[in-house]
Structure formats: C-alpha cells, structure tokens
C-alpha cells in the first residue's frame, strides 16, 4: 500500500526562512497570518490529508464514480471525507470574509492544495474547481450574484465547475455551438452539449454551480461572440433555498486513463435557465479568470504527484534488497544490499527530489505574486506582481506537469516489476499524472501562449522585468564566495534564455512556424532558469543558517546537496535547449503531411 507524508517542514522553511512572510505583513490577507497560525494550519492540513484523504485514494481509484438512473455517485468514503473537509472550514480558507471565507493568503492555499492532490488527486478536484468558479463570480458577478452563490460555495455546501469543451471543439472555442436564448425575465435558456466536465455531477454537495460558455442568439461568430453564464444544477429561490432541477443532466461518465474517482461528465443542457456573468460577448475574458487560477492549480498537481511518487520510491529503495553496492557490500551480513546503494537508483531519486523542492519554491513565489497582485496598495508593485504571475503561469502549468509525469515514471522504475503492479500504487500515480499536461490548455498551447502573447506583452517590458529581477538577484549575491559558483551557473543560463529570446524576436516575427516549432523548448529553458533562481534563494538561506548554527543541520545539509545536484545535473540542460531553439523550424516542418 502506498503512503504519504505531507511536506510540512519544507513549507515552513520556504515560508518563514526563504521567502520571509513577515515582509508581506502589510497586505490584508497576511494581517492575521502569524507564523504560529500558519504552522498550525499546515499541521492540521497534514493530518487531514494523511489520515482522511490518503486512505481513500487507492480504493477510490479502483471503485471510480458511477452513473445509475441519472444519478452520479462518488466512491465509498468520499462524501464523509468531503464533509470533514468542509465542516472544518477548509473550503473557504482563502475566500473573501464578506462571504464567509477566512481571507488567508493564497500562498497558504497552494500549500494545502499540494497536500490534497498528493494524498487524493480525484477528491481534491471537487473543492479545487469550486474555488476557481467562486473566484470568477467574485471578479465578474453582480452584487446579487455574489450574495446568491458565494456564501454556499465558500462553505463548500455548493460546488462549481467550468464548461468550455464541446464534442467538436476544444482549444478552438470559436467553433462553440452551445446557444443562449434571452428570456423575458433577464435570464437565458441554455442549450447544447459540453464534454470532459470535471466534477460535472456528483453526490458531495446539494447544488452544483456550472459556469458555461455559450453564444447568445445573433452574437458574432468566433470567440468575440461568446458569453459566460451561471447555470445552477438546481434553481436558487429568492430566499436562497433550492428550487426545481434545472435543465442540465449528466448524459454519461467518461472512461478515463486516470483520476477515476473524479466524475468527468458529458453534460446536456436543454433550455436550462442561466444568468449572464459579466458582459455580453465578453465570456472568454471572464472565463480566463478561472482558467488562469486553474492553470496554477494544475501546475501544483504536477508537483504534488511527483512528491508522493518520490516518497514511495525512496521508501521502497531503502527496503528492497537486491544486488551489491559497486564498491563492495554495504551490509555483508545480509544476502544483498538495499537498492538505494546503486548510483542509477540514486540518480532517479535525486532528479525527482531536485525537481520537487525547486518546484515547491517556484509555487510559493508565484502564490506570493498572486497575494501582492490582489492586496498591494502600491500600484507599481501590484502591477509588477500581476505581470510576473501572468508571464509565469504557462511556464508553471506546463513544466511542472510534464515533470510530474516524468517523476511518476521514474519512481515506478525504481520499483522495477513491482512498480508495474497495481497494489504498489505507482500505476495510479502515473495514470493520474498524465492528464495534467492535457487539461486546462495542453502544454503545447501553454508554450505558444508564452511565446506568442506573454513575451511581446507591453512591448517586452514584462520579460525584461523578469530578466532584471534575476540578474539583480545574482549581482547581489555573487560576491559571496559560498554562492559564487551558483550565481555564475545561473547567470550563464539566464544569458542563454536572453539569447534565445533575441533569436525568437529576430526569426518568429517573419515566420510564425519558428515560434511554433521552438516554443516548447523555450518554455522549458525559461522554467529551468526560474528553478535556478528558486534554488539560489533556497541555498542562500540554507548556507546562512548552517554558518550561523541555526535550524536542523541535517535538513539544511541535504538542501545543499540537492541544490548542488540541480546546478550540476539539471541546469546544464539549458545549453541543449538553446541549441534546439536556434535549430529552428526547418527540420520540424520539412516532411509532407501525407508522409507521416
């Protein structure tokens, strides 16, 4: 049976030492966030995820969701676990206090999100989607809509979804056919079919609030004619009570490779009553509020699955007896040595460990940008945080999820044949992980978003601000002899990204295929530079604490060892990525389509 231990200590180190949350005390969301409170919340989240969520993960995957007589049911134990989650106030931990939330910082919410996904990906998706839907209503809804929906979504009594994809269109939403007919009372009648709707129907909550993209009769073709609607599963009466079942039904559940415990639905809308959210024909802008929130959350899913897979691979490697160490028996009194002695096993474990610890620091940094963008009073700092977060969102979503798949695969490899056997849990980790590079915008789309939209944004001011931030950080610390090597290696990697950026500017403008063929490589190059920046932050603090004889010496020593591995074994990949970018589109596009 797989196990899970929440990385509470790692989050405490990042939040209190590396990123020093006391620097953010002037922000509204941090007013009540004392170090003691943060530590208590992290520890309670660990208990919930380790003791309530994780024991249901494997059984929930085996049982899956069921659709019988039009009713969708979740696996055994899920309803009780969800109720424990909501009754303890976890759903609204970062929610607006005006609607019953606790108003705590997003950085804490993302830490809890990682623990939830690692312990039970399928179950974590139900509250995760609700957060995104609630945030969209909070941003674009009228006062009446906020009062009608947010209190019960914040409490978790109601859940939420996002409805974009249709049978004939996924990424290309300009082809969307779901229609919205205006009614005399100001509502709309929504008709159409949506597919791949995560948490589209279930038995965890008494109502489900669907956010649905549709085209109002007479609206322009393409994405310019799409609007966003609130369509509750059950109508909501003026007094807040539930009315009749709306015209939305689950036609089928998708049979999937993974995340079996989350209900992925085909939803049919038959004159369902919906309410315009935001402006007519501006639905894509409103939906991107939820999609951007979801993309960061999906990036965390990649980190989370890597973490739990790594934990189980490391535990196995320390216990599995097989072969002898290359330099001679480590345990001569036993028939063989544990496989942790083998360099190739250690290479796999170290690669994943360097990724997870660096990725966790990136997530904390990004979540802090979200908190600053939401609550900072200084408009210049607020705008910079928003710009940096927007720039990094496709990078985090894509790189962390690709690496999550690789980490799950490596971890399976550590177990050898046992890893391929279901009972050890690795097959579930790998099958669950594989969805993350696909949904919420495929990773190819993320790369094109980065190169085609984010790099040119504000005439390149945002990417220049990103380069300046990292260069100034390097300059600040490269005089410290304990850090000179890291600063030099990171500076060279940064220069490679800057050169690749210049190449794109010179070549992609005249030939869009150059951008399309190299965007994936560019995104990964940027991710490695960002991770180098994260690891430099970590190593600065770890080395300073060691020198000052503070903290857990063994923990800090291992941070330095893992950071060394990243700088010597992973960051050098930036060299090959630059060469791949400058190879251009020629070889990629040369073959005729019919010859594939």
């Amino acid at each position: 049976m797989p196990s899970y231990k929440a990385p509470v200590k790692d989050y405490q180190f990042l939040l209190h030492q590396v990123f020093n949350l006391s620097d953010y005390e002037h922000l509204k969301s941090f007013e009540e966030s004392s170090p003691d409170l943060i530590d208590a919340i992290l520890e309670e989240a660990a208990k919930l995820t380790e003791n309530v969520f994780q024991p249901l993960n494997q059984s929930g995957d085996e049982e899956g969701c069921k659709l019988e007589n039009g009713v969708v049911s979740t696996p055994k134990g899920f309803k009780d676990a969800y109720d424990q989650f909501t009754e303890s106030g976890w759903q609204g931990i970062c929610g607006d206090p005006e609607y019953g939330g606790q108003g705590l910082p997003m950085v804490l919410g993302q830490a809890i999100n990682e623990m939830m996904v690692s312990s039970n990906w399928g179950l974590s998706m139900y509250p995760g989607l609700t957060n995104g839907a609630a945030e969209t209503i909070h941003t674009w809804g009228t006062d009446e809509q906020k009062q009608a929906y947010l209190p019960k979504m914040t409490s978790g009594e109601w859940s939420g979804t996002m409805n974009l994809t249709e049978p004939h269109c996924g990424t290309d939403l300009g082809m969307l056919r779901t229609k919205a007919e205006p009614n005399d009372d100001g509502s709309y009648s929504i008709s159409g079919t949506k597919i791949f709707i995560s948490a589209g129907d279930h038995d965890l909550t008494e109502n489900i609030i669907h956010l649905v993209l549709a085209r109002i009769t007479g609206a322009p073709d393409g994405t310019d004619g799409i609007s966003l609607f609130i369509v509750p599963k059950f109508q909501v009466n003026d007094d807040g009570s539930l009315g009749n079942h709306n015209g939305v039904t689950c036609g089928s559940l998708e049979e999937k490779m993974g995340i079996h415990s989350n209900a992925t639905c085909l939803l049919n809308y038959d004159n369902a009553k919906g309410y315009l959210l935001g402006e007519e024909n501006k639905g894509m802008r409103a939906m991107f509020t939820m999609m951007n929130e979801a993309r960061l959350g999906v990036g965390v899913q990649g980190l989370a699955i890597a973490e739990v897979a790594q934990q189980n691979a490391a535990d196995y490697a320390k216990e599995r007896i097989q072969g002898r160490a290359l330099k001679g028996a480590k345990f001569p009194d036993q028939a063989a040595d544990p496989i942790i002695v083998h360099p190739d096993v250690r290479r796999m474990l170290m690669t994943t460990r360097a990724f997870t610890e660096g990725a966790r620091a990136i997530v904390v940094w990004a979540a802090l940008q979200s908190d600053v963008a939401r609550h900072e009073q200084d408009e210049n700092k607020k705008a910079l945080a928003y710009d940096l977060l927007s720039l990094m969102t496709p990078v985090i979503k894509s790189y962390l999820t690709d690496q999550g798949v690789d980490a799950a695969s490596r971890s399976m490899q550590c177990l050898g044949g046992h890893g391929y056997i279901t009972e050890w849990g690795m097959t579930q980790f790998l099958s669950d992980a594989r969805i993350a590079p696909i949904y919420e915008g495929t990773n190819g789309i993320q790369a094109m978003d980065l190169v085609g939209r984010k790099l040119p944004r504000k005439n390149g001011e945002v990417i220049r601000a990103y380069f300046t931030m990292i260069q100034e950080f390097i300059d600040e610390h490269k005089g410290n002899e304990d850090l000179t090597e890291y600063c030099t290696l990171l500076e060279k990697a940064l220069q490679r990204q800057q050169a690749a950026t210049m190449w794109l500017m010179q070549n992609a403008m005249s030939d869009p295929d150059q951008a399309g063929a190299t965007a994936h490589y560019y995104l990964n190059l940027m991710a490695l530079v960002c991770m180098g920046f994260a690891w430099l932050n970590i190593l600065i603090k770890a080395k300073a604490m060691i020198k000052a004889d503070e903290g857990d010496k063994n923990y800090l020593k291992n941070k330095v060892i893992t950071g060394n591995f990243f700088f010597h074994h992973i960051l050098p990949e930036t060299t090959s990525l630059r060469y791949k970018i400058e190879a251009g589109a020629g070889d990629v596009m040369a073959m005729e389509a019919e010859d594939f």
Side-chain angles (χ1 to χ4, degrees), residues 335-395:
D337 290 331
I339 63 172
I340 192 73
V341 304
H342 302 309
D344 190 57
V345 173
R346 284 176 169 255
R347 174 191 60 81
M348 291 188 285
L349 293 173
M350 286 299 296
T351 299
T352 302
R353 181 167 181 151
F355 162 70
T356 56
E357 294 182 13
R360 186 170 294 119
I362 292 175
V363 166
V364 169
W365 174 85
L368 285 171
Q369 304 313 304
S370 179
D371 283 313
V372 172
R374 290 165 187 257
H375 301 295
E376 177 60 65
Q377 297 300 308
D378 184 314
E379 290 300 325
N380 290 329
K381 292 180 180 179
K382 185 183 185 79
L384 178 60
Y386 176 83
D387 287 341
L388 290 174
L389 180 62
S390 178
L391 177 70
M392 287 304 301
T393 294
V395 178

Side-chain angles (χ1 to χ4, degrees), residues 572-591:
E573 293 171 14
T574 55
T575 300
S576 65
L577 287 167
R578 180 187 171 185
Y579 282 126
K580 289 178 181 181
I581 292 165
E582 294 180 359
D587 299 330
V588 176
M589 304 304 293
M591 190 177 292

